[in-house]
Amino acid sequence: MNRHSLLSMRDLTAKDIVQILDDALLFDNEFKDWQLPLSKALAANLFFEASTRTHYSFESAQLQLGMKVADIAVSQSSVTKGETLYDTLKTLEMVGYDLFVIRHPQDEYYKELENINVPILNAGDGKGDHPTQCLLDLLTMYKEFGTLQGLNVVICGDIAHSRVASSNKEALEKLGSTVRFAGPKEWEREGFEVVDFDEAIPEADVVMMLRIQKERGAALEEVSDGDYLNRYGLSRERYARMKDSAIVMHPAPVNRGVEIDTDLVEAEKSRIFPQMANGVLVRKAVIKRAFGF
Ligand code: NCD
């Protein structure tokens, strides 16, 4: 495995995280136009699960950094003939690609990729990890509060199936913030501290809402009789009880009217769309790091 791969937030120390966020901030300011000083930099992006933000913000970051990008159409590749993920990636390595971005439904799919020498950036593995989403979440919080220490973060929704929840828990605790979890009992997760959402709201600096992961077997009907928003979601009433300085986050895609009232998606405290712009900045930073710069 290339030592510059980024597979999980477990791979990064607090110092590494700060370095990546510092680079992301430079890409937002003095180094907007910085490009990789390489004569050849070919990215192969492989998405075995649906994606809009992660996929196209990686592509935007790669193009802005001067890379050439191949979008590997997984459904037309030899994966459909039964080729393993390892053999597919070894092939792409042999034919000249320098960076892999991979999203895959299997937790820790990368464990079978030890002998791939090209750096791999994990764009989400099952309910495992989603490190670049976590980094963009951290950047969004840092821009808001000027620190990542001592923040009170509440993450609410389908915790059991969310890689965003697990990556944020790992990183925020490492950085010295408090992160607690709310939502239906059925979707709690071992080792994740539970808090009553209504009690947590007035104290929270960040209220992060999550989508119900239907593709991982979660069903709305299993936890609610059709009133999910008022029972577990961010309703207008809950929003009104947030601190003035607090913000709303959501990795998106949003199911409007389910986990969040549709009018709150672009409300004053919402950072849901700015999170997406921050995603390009952190992805530029992790690509820079992947090439050893
Ligand atoms: C998240 C994901 O794929 O884990 N989305 C994203 O990358 N922006 C969350 C989700 O799909 O609900």
Side-chain angles (χ1 to χ4, degrees):
M1 189 68 78
N2 186 294
R3 69 189 175 89
H4 295 303
S5 288
L6 177 56
L7 305 173
S8 158
M9 290 307 285
R10 289 188 303 273
D11 299 345
L12 300 176
T13 62
K15 198 167 159 240
D16 296 330
I17 295 172
V18 170
Q19 177 68 57
I20 291 169
L21 298 183
D22 279 346
D23 281 344
L25 289 167
L26 289 174
F27 285 131
D28 206 12
N29 294 292
E30 297 98 294
F31 288 94
K32 272 198 168 65
D33 300 324
W34 188 86
Q35 293 202 322
L36 289 166
L38 297 171
S39 55
K40 176 177 92 65
L42 302 185
N45 297 338
L46 297 92
F47 281 75
F48 293 84
E49 266 188 8
S51 173
T52 300
R53 273 147 291 272
T54 306
H55 190 162
Y56 296 102
S57 66
F58 258 117
E59 183 160 318
S60 174
Q62 291 159 341
L63 294 172
Q64 289 184 47
L65 290 173
M67 300 188 76
K68 292 199 169 60
V69 179
D71 217 350
I72 307 299
V74 175
S75 61
Q76 283 161 44
S77 73
S78 290
V79 169
T80 58
K81 299 182 188 169
E83 187 170 53
T84 63
L85 182 60
Y86 175 81
D87 289 343
T88 301
L89 289 167
K90 201 68 191 173
T91 304
L92 294 170
E93 179 179 323
M94 289 303 126
V95 302
Y97 288 92
D98 307 298
L99 178 75
F100 297 141
V101 173
I102 307 173
R103 169 172 287 192
H104 199 284
Q106 187 189 317
D107 289 14
E108 300 188 322
Y109 65 80
Y110 47 78
K111 287 238 161 115
E112 63 190 77
L113 304 178
E114 284 293 323
N115 292 331
I116 299 293
N117 298 312
V118 167
I120 297 171
L121 303 178
N122 180 12
D125 62 299
K127 56 185 181 336
D129 285 282
H130 195 348
T132 59
Q133 177 67 42
C134 177
L135 289 162
L136 79 85
D137 292 338
L138 297 175
L139 182 63
T140 305
M141 294 179 213
Y142 183 79
K143 281 183 166 181
E144 196 68 36
F145 302 105
T147 180
L148 292 169
Q149 275 175 21
L151 298 178
N152 182 342
V153 179
V154 178
I155 302 182
C156 181
D158 179 4
I159 308 302
H161 305 99
S162 172
R163 52 198 175 206
V164 178
S166 46
S167 286
N168 272 293
K169 176 178 174 355
E170 170 75 28
L172 285 161
E173 288 176 352
K174 201 177 283 181
L175 293 163
S177 282
T178 304
V179 54
R180 286 172 303 171
F181 299 87
K185 228 181 156 23
E186 292 84 341
W187 295 341
E188 287 174 3
R189 193 157 168 169
E190 207 182 324
F192 287 53
E193 189 189 337
V194 175
V195 68
D196 180 85
F197 194 34
D198 283 309
E199 282 172 25
I201 288 248
E203 306 293 322
D205 297 304
V206 177
V207 176
M208 186 186 293
M209 305 306 297
L210 298 176
R211 182 180 65 85
I212 300 165
Q213 307 284 295
K214 293 197 191 81
E215 66 275 40
R216 276 173 253 295
L220 189 58
E221 306 72 50
E222 106 189 62
V223 297
S224 154
D225 50 10
D227 196 19
Y228 187 88
L229 179 63
N230 287 310
R231 290 177 67 182
Y232 308 110
L234 191 64
S235 60
R236 288 193 230 185
E237 183 273 323
R238 291 195 178 104
Y239 178 87
R241 291 194 297 107
M242 287 172 60
K243 283 200 266 194
D244 285 346
S245 59
I247 59 169
V248 175
M249 294 175 59
H250 189 311
V254 171
N255 284 137
R256 287 172 177 261
V258 181
E259 67 271 12
I260 182 168
D261 186 293
T262 187
D263 291 343
L264 299 178
V265 173
E266 292 188 77
E268 204 186 325
K269 292 175 190 157
S270 169
R271 298 294 177 271
I272 296 174
F273 284 106
Q275 281 177 262
M276 299 171 198
N278 290 335
V280 179
L281 302 173
V282 297
R283 289 178 176 119
K284 284 171 92 169
V286 299
I287 293 167
K288 170 178 171 282
R289 177 179 177 275
F291 284 99
F293 293 111

